[in-house]
Amino acid sequence: MAKALKPTDHPWKEALELALADFFALLFPDIGAQLDFSKPPRFLDAELKQVAPDALVGPLHADRLVSVKALSGGERWVYTHIEVQSQKDPSFEERMFGYHARIWDRYRRPITSLAVLGDPHREWRPDQFYMEQFGCRTLFEFPVVKLLDLDVERLLVEAPTNLFSVVVAAHRAAQGTKGNERRRVKFALAKRLYEMGLNEEEVRERFRFLEWMIGLSAEENRAFRSELTAYEEERKMPYVTSFERI
């Protein structure tokens, strides 16, 4: 059965724990190809709060610290800090450097810091922190994925079973629509779930993220539910509506 969502969770944080391999395969494939996901990753949220107490999960950003086994180097585990940022922040680069430095100070091991930029500002692309004084220089660079650069339709077609293709599509839909346009986009995405070759449990799991990430007004939600019920009855696939009744 699908994992119950907690009101304080962030959808990206939840998705990372459910499908970390999908995250790397879709957004950072070169790094993912060097990791061994046959071994369960170790999520270190308690440790992250200790070294970076300000790394709180909120509606506009989410942090995760995870240890993943590398494919090479025997029992080598890679510490990775993942930050999802959904608004423009002039202090973002400094924050990424600060977390990186604190995690290094705690573990004294190489840290990989990754940023997912889900904001609507196409020109905002922070990828490094630099400071210099009296000949002393610090340059910290980190890999970045800008969600605005991604072709959502292509992701849904080429990676239909990857959870993050739906997460990215839902994020973009919530970011760029409102009113009945948002309802139409949400319904179109819901229909796609039935056309992607997914099993019943996978449809329900992805639908949870559509519900969580693409909010509707009460009136629009009633219309959406009516459309979804009619669509499921037409296809004789009551995956979502029957589950909700139970």
Side-chain angles (χ1 to χ4, degrees):
M1 181 176 292
K3 178 182 174 184
L5 298 178
K6 301 184 287 295
T8 55
D9 278 346
H10 187 287
W12 278 88
K13 179 181 177 181
E14 171 89 3
L16 285 166
E17 187 160 347
L18 285 174
L20 188 66
D22 282 1
F23 169 81
F24 278 98
L26 197 75
L27 301 181
F28 295 96
D30 292 343
I31 298 174
Q34 302 176 64
L35 302 175
D36 180 5
F37 294 103
S38 69
K39 303 290 186 180
R42 304 165 182 171
F43 287 90
L44 308 171
D45 287 3
E47 290 82 351
L48 179 60
K49 287 182 180 179
Q50 290 177 12
V51 300
D54 54 334
L56 301 177
V57 174
L60 297 175
H61 74 274
D63 290 289
R64 298 227 68 169
L65 177 62
V66 59
S67 177
V68 189
K69 187 179 181 303
L71 282 171
S72 61
E75 285 298 311
R76 183 167 64 96
W77 288 75
V78 179
Y79 284 84
T80 304
H81 169 231
I82 302 170
E83 168 108 3
V84 181
Q85 179 74 23
S86 297
Q87 72 170 0
K88 190 175 181 179
D89 180 358
S91 65
F92 181 75
E93 302 97 317
E94 180 181 349
R95 189 170 80 243
M96 287 291 291
F97 171 71
Y99 291 173
H100 188 95
R102 290 180 221 170
I103 297 168
W104 157 257
D105 189 54
R106 169 69 179 266
Y107 294 105
R108 296 292 171 172
R109 295 178 64 175
I111 311 297
T112 301
S113 294
L114 306 174
V116 176
L117 302 179
D119 65 286
H121 305 282
R122 193 169 292 278
E123 77 289 347
W124 188 61
R125 297 171 181 272
D127 62 359
Q128 63 178 252
F129 172 78
Y130 178 78
M131 62 180 175
E132 177 182 0
Q133 181 172 262
F134 301 142
C136 180
R137 301 179 181 87
T138 298
L139 173 62
F140 169 64
E141 299 176 307
F142 48 92
V144 170
V145 167
K146 185 81 171 183
L147 296 188
L148 283 178
D149 293 339
L150 303 181
D151 185 334
V152 171
E153 181 61 28
R154 182 177 178 181
L155 294 182
L156 292 171
V157 170
E158 295 185 355
T161 62
N162 188 303
L163 174 63
F164 278 87
S165 65
V166 174
V167 171
V168 170
H171 184 105
R172 291 276 300 275
Q175 182 184 77
T177 60
K178 59 183 179 180
N180 59 8
E181 179 189 3
R182 177 172 294 189
R183 188 194 83 229
R184 289 195 298 270
V185 171
K186 183 175 180 177
F187 182 59
L189 285 174
K191 287 173 59 179
R192 291 292 293 271
L193 298 181
Y194 296 87
E195 302 165 355
M196 295 165 71
L198 305 172
N199 62 39
E200 185 172 348
E201 182 66 17
E202 290 171 331
V203 169
R204 289 173 179 167
E205 183 177 74
R206 284 152 179 76
F207 184 79
R208 293 186 309 138
F209 285 94
L210 295 187
E211 285 284 78
W212 200 0
M213 301 177 77
I214 309 178
L216 300 174
S217 67
E219 180 180 356
E220 293 293 340
N221 191 55
R222 284 192 294 270
F224 171 76
R225 293 287 168 175
S226 178
E227 291 173 324
L228 182 63
T229 299
Y231 180 76
E232 285 197 329
E233 290 176 351
E234 176 187 333
R235 293 181 63 93
K236 296 181 173 55
M237 299 170 69
Y239 289 175
V240 173
T241 52
S242 64
F243 181 71
E244 289 179 337
R245 284 195 295 270
I246 294 172

